[in-house]
Amino acid sequence: AKEKWTMTTTWPENLALIEIDRHWVELANKLVGDELEINFRAGGTLMPGTEVFDATETGSIEAAGDWPGYWAGRSSAFSPLATTTSLFNGVDYLNWIQQWGGFELYQEVYGKYNMVYLPYGITNNESGFMGRTPIKNLADLDGKRVRLSGRDQGRVLEELGGSQVTIAGGEIYQAIERGVIDAGEFSTPGVDYQAGFAEVAKYWATPGWHQSASVFGVMINKDAWDELSKETQEKLKIAADANLAWSLSWSERGSTDGAVKFEEAGVEISQFSDSDLARIQDITNEVIVRGACEDKMHAKVYHSMISYMENYANWRDISAPFNMSRTIDNLPSLAKIEKCL
Amino acid sequence: MNAIAKAIDTLNDVFGRIIAPLIAIITIIVLYDIALRFFIDRPSDWAFDITKMLFGAHFMLMAAYGLRHHVHVEVDVIKRLLSLRKQAILDVIGYLIFFTPFMWMLLSLGWSFFMRSFSRGETTYGMMSIPVYPVKGVIFIAAVLILLQGIAIFIRAVQQLREERT
Amino acid sequence: MNLSPEMLTLVMFAGLIVGLFMGHPLAFVLGGVAVIGALVGPGLNVMGTLINNIYGNAMDNYVLVAIPLFVLMARFLNDSGVTEKMFDAMRLLLANLRGGLALTVVIVSVLLAATTGIVGASIAVMGMIALVPMLKYGYNKELSAGVIMASGCLGILIPPSIMLILMASYSPVSVGALFAGALVPGLILGVMYALYVLIICYIKPAYGPKVPPEERAQTSTGELLIMLFKYVLPPMALILGVLGALFTGLATATEASAIGVFIAFLLFLIFGDRKLKTCYNTLIDASKTTTMVMLVLVGATAFTGVFSRGGGMSVISDLVLAMPGGTTGALILMLFLVFILGMFLDWTGIVLLSFPIMLPIVEAMEVDMLWFVVMVAVVLQTSFLTPPFGYALFYLKGVAPPGVEIVDLYKAVIPFVALIILACALLTIFLGW
Ligand code: NA
Ligand code: NA
């Protein structure tokens, strides 16, 4: 091969999410032929997962799979590129990325760090809260300690009367087991089951409103990208597009199998009521506007996302119940976000 | 030359004595966080990140002080059997071959690592935005202090060699 | 230059050994070899990852906060004078038992192992509190050091353990199953160390001398009871306090170590000299030990990063795949490789490098995965103990009194490494695949 890339990811070998990266690498290596060979290494083997952004930016490695939310400390705009609290579902992300201008925004945000970004993975709704204390409605959540990541997520939780606990990833399992936290969230049911949560959790509260859908992708060092021919670049994009569709159904399959296993393990599942979810939506809408207005780029991304939601509603709502996304008209105020641009 | 070595010793002594108490502050912060969670069910928004940062800063900034006081692990099985002159030769070689490249790497890459964070005002992404670049900058500062102490050791080894000759 | 992975592996390991025996500080040997390895191997652009590894693995790592905290706890305990008197009291209590103090060390270490999952922490703690009293009472230097290091390593086998959590995350085995699976060999090893102590001291009475009857006679039973009450109870209360915080869900494993510091500080206020100057010197001493332990980790993480990037992993995998002898041969070879790697790399590197290669092989051979992972965990104990690169050796050397040389420690671990290998054999025979 003409070019040899070293690629790693934020995910360690046995976190199921690494399959998304691996599937893309396989597709890409098959498609590109002789011009490029991607040597993929599991997360943690070359450097800790938290450092792959810096290593790709400097060109120490050519590419790395990621979840954009990990980089929100550099620019909060990375946060909505990764997930939303109670807004997008998986199909919304797919629509927005491919037809409503999302892809370009990824390039704009990552481009500031000398990187090209190919979104190549979407997972739909995360599990929700799991723990040893029953949390069946918002009243139960009051005064509870919940392991939850993200700033918007934490703010919504605080408004609901719970408090956000930060715990090292490796300590979540034991923190649930010993009751250091009342509940915690990690990922989708398939991933959570593999992390052993069914062994320690008794209760599981769905839906995972804190992370209604997630996007994964590959960061590519711009200099390495520019070394490729137009044709090879095109093939990597094709592989990414194919991977997007694959990942959606792959993760839904995994969530289904995971949910069945949690049920078989005797974990008691409860769902937040419609009125609880409506209240969460009201709070979320305020929190999103507040967060977006703290940073111009952040506001720009949300402006695009909410504009899509409003536009898509024209067709989505009249095609119900055969529509692909949630029919929702209670959105964060587009006008307020516009003022922050 | 000796005056330079002595000045470096003093600098690292003073600095180490200022940094050491951080270990107590780390303890207090962790206890404070546990207490908040236990008594009022409201853990602190900053304790986790600040604890981690102080920990990283503490042991890195103590490294030069540690070198000054010979606390870093070394295997002196063979070295102890040698004459002072030969020991000094080993020191000179060791500091040139291993120490220098490592410090060069820490200084040059540590600086750009810090600048990448500083120029973007990188923060933590929790309920509170805590700047991350100070602790990233610690690598560079620690490297400067360690390098200085290495120079002091190097000066003394060279002096040892000279004295033996005369 | 662009050395082949085989050559790079050779050059890096040779560089380590040369630098180590030159007597250069280990942290800088590891770091220096990493930089040189990057230059002659995968190339200059790999160098950036050295900083990423140092920052991400060593500095930005909440779980490691347990190290300074446990070290500080041990220092305050020492300053309180309680531990030294505890060993005095235990010695009188076990006056007629040869090796009584060494036995005490094993028991305290097993309890301590249940409070922390970081080896550096438990070795430093036991080295600080137990080595001086043992030497004072004429215990054999090598037996004393060996028992401290070997029992100190049980911290990673007896839950909680950061190593087991990492191993679980890199294998299909769940954390719970691995915790339960490793507890058994952990306790078995504890019992084996205790038996070894009793037997060797029975054969060679000078290794762990009894208390002379005249000396024992100076303390009445009543006085001894008071001593036990006063000096054995407080350290036990400390351990139970930390364990309690952990098991009642008051704190996570890392946080529990801060509760340990708090209780040790109270003991210092009750039994110690209560001087601000003592306190300040304690902070300095604890900081020195912390930077000693952590800087080795800084070097090691830089080294492992370059070794892995340079393809050292594929060198190992080729070795395994080339092995004749079927399932048994492959299993023995894989465990042997873990043992050999343990002489050079730290456990994080070994797990990250070897699991992705070995576990698929194990799965294909239809060997019980839990059994294999537990066996690797047991064998990894030796990685801390085997010369030339045993971090337990270095950590103990760092806190040992003058007169205890690294060569003494190299000798000291031999019987204990043999015991671990014996335990592996037993585990294979009785719980094998
Ligand atoms: Na443990
Ligand atoms: Na070793």
Side-chain angles (χ1 to χ4, degrees):
Chain A
K2 222 173 93 193
E3 300 286 334
K4 281 194 179 179
W5 281 7
T6 300
M7 169 173 167
T8 186
T9 169
T10 42
W11 316 114
E13 186 69 51
N14 262 82
L15 199 55
L17 291 171
I18 197 175
E19 295 308 321
I20 298 176
D21 304 307
R22 209 165 248 144
H23 196 261
W24 178 77
V25 172
E26 278 166 21
L27 285 178
N29 274 336
K30 267 184 217 163
L31 278 175
V32 293
D34 267 350
E35 204 194 339
L36 172 68
E37 182 190 319
I38 303 171
N39 177 5
F40 179 70
R41 309 284 290 272
T45 56
L46 301 181
M47 71 205 71
T50 47
E51 292 297 306
V52 300
F53 185 97
D54 193 66
T56 311
E57 182 186 353
T58 59
S60 286
I61 48 173
E62 284 78 15
D66 79 340
W67 175 68
Y70 284 139
W71 325 126
R74 287 173 170 85
S75 158
S76 54
F78 282 109
S79 177
L81 296 183
T83 187
T84 57
T85 306
S86 197
L87 195 68
F88 269 26
N89 74 1
V91 168
D92 289 319
Y93 266 118
L94 187 65
N95 286 342
W96 177 65
I97 288 171
Q98 300 210 325
Q99 296 291 334
W100 270 269
F103 185 84
E104 287 70 26
L105 285 170
Y106 282 87
Q107 306 320 315
E108 191 173 340
V109 175
Y110 278 91
K112 288 182 183 151
Y113 305 86
N114 194 37
M115 288 191 250
V116 168
Y117 193 78
L118 305 181
Y120 63 33
I122 296 175
T123 61
N124 203 45
N125 193 216
E126 290 217 331
S127 310
F129 300 158
M130 296 183 180
R132 295 172 91 86
T133 313
I135 296 174
K136 297 183 173 169
N137 47 52
L138 288 189
D140 286 345
L141 200 54
D142 192 50
K144 296 295 187 298
R145 300 165 303 211
V146 184
R147 193 270 178 187
L148 179 68
S149 49
R151 181 177 295 163
D152 281 1
Q153 286 81 352
R155 284 173 177 171
V156 174
L157 184 67
E158 297 268 316
E159 296 273 332
L160 293 170
S163 45
Q164 185 177 24
V165 179
T166 324
I167 284 179
E171 291 195 315
I172 303 177
Y173 177 96
Q174 277 188 295
I176 293 179
E177 184 180 30
R178 305 274 186 237
V180 176
I181 48 175
D182 296 303
E185 61 84 21
F186 186 52
S187 185
T188 55
V191 177
D192 287 348
Y193 185 81
Q194 209 178 20
F197 287 3
E199 294 168 11
V200 289
K202 289 196 183 115
Y203 302 96
W204 171 16
T206 67
W209 52 264
H210 64 285
Q211 197 161 332
S212 51
S214 317
V215 175
F216 307 85
V218 59
M219 310 179 274
I220 300 171
N221 179 276
K222 183 78 166 42
D223 303 321
W225 176 258
D226 290 340
E227 293 285 311
L228 302 176
S229 67
K230 279 271 162 312
E231 200 189 0
T232 305
Q233 291 176 348
E234 201 54 42
K235 284 174 182 168
L236 292 185
K237 281 185 192 159
I238 292 168
D241 285 344
N243 217 48
L244 274 180
W246 171 85
S247 64
L248 249 180
S249 58
W250 167 84
S251 84
E252 283 301 274
R253 179 64 206 242
S255 294
T256 309
D257 294 347
V260 170
K261 284 185 198 152
F262 270 105
E263 234 168 323
E264 284 170 359
V267 176
E268 195 182 312
I269 303 170
S270 62
Q271 278 180 277
F272 286 108
S273 67
D274 289 343
S275 62
D276 279 348
L277 289 177
R279 173 141 178 258
I280 289 170
Q281 193 66 52
D282 288 336
I283 295 172
T284 299
N285 290 345
E286 295 300 319
V287 164
I288 283 180
V289 171
R290 188 174 137 203
C293 285
E294 286 163 2
D295 176 270
K296 281 212 166 63
M297 193 64 217
H298 195 168
K300 185 171 176 186
V301 173
Y302 261 124
H303 186 267
S304 168
M305 293 170 89
I306 295 160
S307 304
Y308 150 77
M309 288 292 267
E310 289 188 352
N311 182 229
Y312 184 42
N314 289 307
W315 159 240
R316 181 195 67 201
D317 291 3
I318 57 171
S319 64
F322 305 108
N323 53 342
M324 297 215 293
S325 180
R326 191 165 62 120
T327 50
I328 171 187
D329 298 311
N330 182 13
L331 296 170
S333 160
L334 196 59
K336 279 187 195 162
I337 289 180
E338 226 152 56
K339 279 187 202 143
C340 302
L341 280 175
Chain B
M1 287 307 264
N2 215 5
I4 297 178
K6 267 194 181 152
I8 293 173
D9 281 358
T10 310
L11 170 77
N12 274 328
D13 262 339
V14 171
F15 196 75
R17 292 183 148 278
I18 295 171
I19 295 297
L22 274 185
I23 196 172
I25 295 173
I26 293 169
T27 313
I28 292 166
I29 294 175
V30 176
L31 289 172
Y32 168 78
D33 195 28
I34 299 172
L36 280 190
R37 203 171 55 214
F38 185 73
F39 291 112
I40 60 167
D41 266 329
R42 282 267 170 238
S44 131
D45 289 338
W46 50 267
F48 180 87
D49 289 309
I50 292 288
T51 304
K52 207 165 55 169
M53 289 174 180
L54 290 182
F55 158 73
H58 171 259
F59 77 79
M60 284 298 278
L61 293 175
M62 287 304 292
Y65 182 84
L67 188 58
R68 152 102 181 83
H69 291 276
H70 304 283
V71 304
H72 292 299
V73 176
E74 46 188 54
V75 177
D76 54 359
V77 200
I78 296 173
K79 201 172 168 185
R80 285 188 319 129
L81 305 174
L82 304 175
S83 66
L84 282 179
R85 181 180 163 76
K86 284 183 180 153
Q87 289 191 12
I89 294 176
L90 275 189
D91 270 345
V92 167
I93 298 175
Y95 273 88
L96 284 178
I97 295 183
F98 298 108
F99 183 85
T100 310
F102 189 43
M103 285 308 126
W104 165 66
M105 189 277 301
L106 283 183
L107 284 172
S108 61
L109 296 175
W111 177 253
S112 52
F113 185 70
F114 163 69
M115 281 311 288
R116 278 195 296 284
S117 180
F118 179 69
S119 62
R120 282 104 185 220
E122 184 182 355
T123 63
T124 57
Y125 193 70
M127 291 291 279
M128 280 178 72
S129 298
I130 305 163
V132 173
Y133 46 85
V135 67
K136 288 195 166 178
V138 156
I139 298 179
F140 179 79
I141 297 170
V144 170
L145 294 172
I146 299 171
L147 180 67
L148 283 175
Q149 196 58 49
I151 290 172
I153 294 172
F154 194 84
I155 289 174
R156 293 204 170 102
V158 172
Q159 256 172 357
Q160 175 74 35
L161 287 178
R162 278 195 192 152
E163 277 170 26
E164 297 267 323
R165 198 178 294 153
T166 52
Chain C
M1 263 193 278
N2 203 333
L3 294 184
S4 71
E6 290 79 9
M7 277 307 293
L8 184 69
T9 305
L10 212 64
V11 166
M12 289 186 76
F13 283 175
L16 273 194
I17 292 179
V18 169
L20 185 74
F21 285 110
M22 275 174 64
H24 198 63
L26 178 63
F28 306 130
V29 173
L30 285 159
V33 172
V35 174
I36 296 167
L39 288 175
V40 300
L44 194 61
N45 73 322
V46 170
M47 293 259 291
T49 56
L50 271 116
I51 291 281
N52 295 123
N53 274 307
I54 291 170
Y55 180 74
N57 279 330
M59 294 174 70
D60 187 29
N61 192 336
Y62 187 79
V63 176
L64 295 182
V65 174
I67 290 178
L69 296 183
F70 268 104
V71 167
L72 187 57
M73 175 187 89
R75 289 285 173 193
F76 273 129
L77 256 186
N78 266 357
D79 289 343
S80 73
V82 167
T83 48
E84 213 182 324
K85 288 177 184 147
M86 171 185 86
F87 280 101
D88 288 348
M90 286 305 288
R91 178 168 165 269
L92 290 178
L93 178 70
L94 304 171
N96 290 315
L97 186 68
R98 288 172 190 159
L101 283 188
L103 190 67
T104 308
V105 168
V106 175
I107 295 167
V108 174
S109 295
V110 169
L111 288 174
L112 205 60
T115 66
T116 179
I118 311 266
V119 163
S122 43
I123 305 263
V125 168
M126 289 313 288
M128 281 185 269
I129 66 175
L131 192 52
V132 170
M134 288 169 96
L135 296 178
K136 184 173 97 185
Y137 288 117
Y139 272 61
N140 173 278
K141 204 195 284 179
E142 278 135 36
L143 176 70
S144 311
V147 80
I148 288 173
M149 289 185 288
S151 320
C153 286
L154 292 176
I156 54 164
L157 217 48
I158 294 172
S161 156
I162 189 61
M163 178 180 88
L164 295 179
I165 288 174
L166 186 94
M167 288 175 94
S169 80
Y170 279 75
S171 68
V173 178
S174 81
V175 182
L178 194 52
F179 273 8
L183 180 63
V184 176
L187 294 177
I188 289 177
L189 275 176
V191 172
M192 284 171 76
Y193 296 160
L195 287 176
Y196 170 74
V197 162
L198 294 178
I199 292 169
I200 194 82
C201 292
Y202 183 77
I203 301 171
K204 296 182 177 173
Y207 272 43
K210 284 187 198 177
V211 181
E214 317 84 74
E215 192 196 330
R216 174 66 187 84
Q218 285 167 10
T219 314
S220 73
T221 310
E223 282 168 334
L224 178 60
L225 277 178
I226 292 173
M227 273 178 82
L228 286 174
F229 184 76
K230 218 173 145 188
Y231 299 119
V232 177
L233 233 49
M236 286 302 131
L238 185 151
I239 290 184
L240 290 180
V242 177
L243 272 180
L246 202 58
F247 279 84
T248 56
L250 175 62
T252 65
T254 309
E255 293 169 342
S257 52
I259 291 175
V261 179
F262 180 66
I263 302 175
F265 183 67
L266 289 183
L267 294 182
F268 166 72
L269 290 184
I270 297 169
F271 297 96
D273 66 8
R274 290 182 281 268
K275 282 184 186 147
L276 201 61
K277 189 167 161 44
T278 313
C279 231
Y280 183 67
N281 285 335
T282 295
L283 297 183
I284 298 253
D285 283 344
S287 299
K288 279 183 186 170
T289 308
T290 303
T291 196
M292 182 263 293
V293 172
M294 287 306 301
L295 256 258
V296 172
L297 207 75
V298 164
T301 186
F303 179 90
T304 309
V306 174
F307 175 72
S308 164
R309 183 73 186 275
M313 194 163 126
S314 57
V315 175
I316 296 161
S317 101
D318 293 348
L319 265 175
V320 176
L321 294 174
M323 177 69 181
T327 306
T328 316
L331 284 175
I332 290 175
L333 183 79
M334 284 193 280
L335 292 175
F336 183 67
L337 268 172
V338 169
F339 178 78
I340 295 292
L341 280 178
M343 292 183 174
F344 296 95
L345 301 180
D346 67 318
W347 62 266
T348 327
I350 298 173
V351 171
L352 293 180
L353 293 177
S354 66
F355 270 28
I357 304 164
M358 294 183 175
L359 296 190
I361 302 175
V362 173
E363 200 159 22
M365 293 188 308
E366 292 179 3
V367 172
D368 182 36
M369 191 59 86
L370 176 62
W371 174 84
F372 181 78
V373 175
V374 168
M375 286 296 280
V376 172
V378 175
V379 174
L380 272 176
Q381 300 262 302
T382 65
S383 76
F384 300 97
L385 299 170
T386 45
F389 282 83
Y391 295 118
L393 302 160
F394 300 141
Y395 295 155
L396 185 60
K397 176 76 175 71
V399 296
V404 179
E405 303 302 336
I406 195 88
V407 183
D408 300 326
L409 303 184
Y410 281 0
K411 283 188 217 148
V413 294
I414 296 170
F416 292 95
V417 171
L419 284 174
I420 294 172
I421 294 172
L422 177 64
C424 288
L426 291 176
L427 287 171
T428 307
I429 294 165
F430 293 109
L431 305 164
W433 67 90

